[in-house]
Amino acid sequence: MAKKSHEHHDRPHRHHYDAEMLSVEEARERILSYFEVLPVESTDLVDSLGQVLAEDMVASFDIPPLANSAMDGYAVLASDTRGASTDAPVELVVTGVVAAGQLPDHPLEPGTAIRIMTGAPVPENADAVVPFEDTDELERRASGGSSEAIAIHLHAEPHGNVRGAGEDIESGETVLESGQILRAGEIGVIASLGHSTAKVIRRPVVAIVSTGDELLQPGDEPEPGKIFNSNAFSIAAMVKRYGGVPKILGIAKDTIESLTAALEEALDADLVVTSAGVSKGDYDVVKDVLSSKGEIALWSVRMRPAKPLAFGVLDRKDGTKVPHLGLPGNPVSAMVAFEQFGRSAIRLMMGKPEVEKPSVEAIMDDPIRNHDGRRVYARVQVYKDESGAYRAKSTGNQSSGVLSSMSLANGLAICPDHIGMIDAGEIAKVEMLDWPDDIF
Ligand code: AMP
Ligand code: MG
């Protein structure tokens, strides 16, 4: 690698930085062409939330394993309750009780009932369960009456309140298929099959390197002229949210040594994200170091914020390559660019289909202006008005350095590339950053 980096330095013509203008979609397509689905691993079930299942799940037994009661009540022979009502109850002898987790210790005899709890196996010969509510259970208990008999107040239907064996899942059935995204329901199903782990596509590790002499790490003492490194944290949070494993590598100074050292540590990740130092006017160290470690292309993406974007690959010592996404330094630009490109890359590596972020059509309370033919992503708060229609209100200063207006936003309202303005009262598509009930 050292040799290679040296070579690159001697051949500056290889540093081709010609900024190309790309649409968001073109930039995304190019970026995604560098990624592959990651290998399969076995993961603790709870940790597999949001991962893609990498095997078919076939049941090797019935669920439930035995016919069992859907209610707390009395297991009976339905025919023994013929004609029963509150006015004309049928009295049955109680011969025992079966709780959930127990097996009945005797079959049901005609003319008798067995007390049974929800989930408990139904005794042999019983074909219905009469819930406590349809017996004199409560009165009997309140009056301290004998528990050796019970009065049934209803004519039970055969199979009433009995859950059949295999009613949920039958032995041999393919319950989940490879490729499914694991949500709470799927995770529950896997647990019900008796597994504590799942075979899933591995989560990508995303190394995050912040560059800039002006940066301090949160937790450090404030210093005049310096700002705290917020990008690493907002990016790490998005990595986590989209299913990746963030690895914050701290701050690289604008020197060859510092950045080289930071990148060394980043190389074993599945994606390296840097922030800042790649826009046109920037001090060349970042670009030089990055190109000496692999390849880098600087693009102009037709979007606002986040026009400058770098993308390339870094060479690992073993000859393999790791994709590198170079986000702009401005905090909102970094976030908006990661939403558009980082999110898709993580989804691809996790084996998930590329899907647009969820969006709504909202009536704008404020205009969105587009000065220069770039797609504008305006920070807005989406809400429902009295008529139930979605409306979107600007969250304030839209400068790419104003992170507070990002924190107030639940969506990014879009003014398309070719439209000069969406006026107040007009409808815009809003890509939702989150939904009101999706706070986690
Ligand atoms: P640059 O891309 O280096 O020109 O940076 C653009 C702006 O983003 C400057 O105001 C930087 O101070 C700011 N910036 C760069 N990196 C970070 C970071 N990690 N956290 C917060 N702000 C940053
Ligand atoms: Mg800088």
Side-chain angles (χ1 to χ4, degrees):
M1 167 101 98
K3 182 153 183 286
K4 208 160 188 189
S5 105
H6 188 72
E7 265 172 31
H8 280 230
H9 268 287
D10 288 343
R11 292 161 60 196
H13 61 274
R14 290 201 50 173
H15 306 186
H16 44 85
Y17 300 129
D18 314 347
E20 280 183 77
M21 252 318 202
L22 299 175
S23 69
V24 172
E25 286 69 29
E26 283 165 337
R28 186 185 297 126
E29 200 179 314
R30 285 201 192 182
I31 289 171
L32 293 185
S33 73
Y34 284 81
F35 288 87
E36 284 178 1
V37 177
L38 294 175
V40 169
E41 66 177 7
S42 178
T43 300
D44 270 1
L45 214 40
V46 174
D47 296 334
S48 71
L49 180 65
Q51 284 179 282
V52 170
L53 187 64
E55 60 179 341
D56 289 347
M57 303 295 304
V58 180
S60 56
F61 48 81
D62 282 344
I63 299 176
L66 299 170
N68 67 87
S69 177
M71 302 287 281
D72 290 343
Y74 285 88
V76 297
L77 205 53
S79 55
D80 277 350
T81 66
R82 190 162 297 136
S85 68
T86 318
D87 297 333
V90 167
E91 187 139 317
L92 298 173
V93 176
V94 178
T95 62
V97 57
V98 52
Q102 292 181 344
L103 290 177
D105 59 3
H106 62 281
L108 186 85
E109 301 297 339
T112 70
I114 293 177
R115 204 164 192 264
I116 191 166
M117 302 300 136
T118 305
V122 172
E124 210 180 312
N125 302 334
D127 61 358
V129 171
V130 179
F132 287 152
E133 302 86 289
D134 297 317
T135 69
D136 67 348
E137 171 82 11
L138 288 183
E139 300 89 302
R140 204 174 269 263
R141 266 204 232 154
S143 67
S146 151
S147 58
E148 277 159 25
I150 191 76
I152 306 289
H153 292 166
L154 141 150
H155 179 163
E157 295 294 329
H159 311 298
N161 297 314
V162 173
R163 305 189 283 212
E167 176 184 287
D168 181 357
I169 294 168
E170 277 182 37
S171 179
E173 193 183 322
T174 300
V175 209
L176 300 174
E177 282 179 22
S178 178
Q180 278 188 262
I181 295 174
L182 299 181
R183 305 166 306 154
E186 286 78 17
I187 288 174
V189 164
I190 296 171
S192 73
L193 296 174
H195 304 293
S196 63
T197 60
K199 265 196 189 152
V200 292
I201 297 170
R202 176 165 84 63
R203 294 181 186 280
V205 174
V206 180
I208 301 164
V209 178
S210 306
T211 70
D213 286 341
E214 75 276 35
L215 300 178
L216 293 174
Q217 199 65 350
D220 291 350
E221 281 299 305
E223 281 178 44
K226 306 259 178 175
I227 59 165
F228 284 109
N229 171 17
S230 61
N231 286 352
F233 292 81
S234 53
I235 296 164
M238 289 185 286
V239 167
K240 246 184 136 159
R241 175 182 187 172
Y242 294 125
V245 180
K247 186 175 161 191
I248 295 181
L249 289 177
I251 296 160
K253 298 276 177 205
D254 292 324
T255 64
I256 293 175
E257 298 71 31
S258 176
L259 187 56
T260 303
L263 289 177
E264 288 295 328
E265 273 191 80
L267 291 177
D268 59 0
D270 301 299
L271 164 64
V272 178
V273 176
T274 58
S275 85
V278 286
S279 49
K280 265 197 220 158
D282 264 320
Y283 184 47
D284 255 357
V285 158
V286 175
K287 294 172 217 166
D288 269 355
V289 173
L290 286 168
S291 59
S292 74
K293 304 267 173 235
E295 285 167 43
I296 180 167
L298 292 196
W299 300 335
S300 285
V301 185
R302 258 195 323 274
M303 64 192 291
R304 174 192 298 274
K307 176 175 157 198
L309 189 78
F311 186 77
V313 289
L314 296 168
D315 298 318
R316 296 198 185 102
K317 291 197 173 69
D318 65 1
T320 60
K321 295 173 189 299
V322 53
H324 160 236
L325 178 63
L327 300 175
N330 275 308
V332 179
S333 308
M335 286 191 71
V336 172
F338 193 88
E339 286 283 357
Q340 290 304 324
F341 308 117
R343 167 182 168 274
S344 297
I346 290 176
R347 289 187 66 92
L348 192 157
M349 285 188 277
M350 292 185 73
K352 297 187 190 185
E354 168 68 11
V355 288
E356 265 192 21
K357 282 190 73 76
S359 61
V360 298
E361 305 267 300
I363 305 162
M364 294 301 301
D365 285 346
D366 307 286
I368 319 176
R369 293 194 173 79
N370 186 350
H371 306 287
D372 55 2
R374 284 147 68 186
R375 183 182 305 168
V376 180
Y377 291 90
R379 284 148 262 173
V380 296
Q381 178 69 42
V382 173
Y383 64 98
K384 269 190 183 168
D385 67 15
E386 317 77 59
S387 73
Y390 284 123
R391 301 191 71 101
K393 186 175 178 43
S394 167
T395 58
N397 190 333
Q398 297 285 321
S399 153
S400 58
V402 174
L403 197 50
S404 55
S405 57
M406 192 69 178
S407 83
L408 294 171
N410 61 0
L412 296 172
I414 293 172
C415 181
D417 320 26
H418 54 278
I419 290 181
M421 172 163 88
I422 294 184
D423 212 344
E426 291 182 334
I427 287 177
K429 175 177 168 180
V430 183
E431 284 191 1
M432 297 306 293
L433 292 165
D434 45 51
W435 296 97
D437 66 346
D438 188 23
I439 309 293
F440 48 89

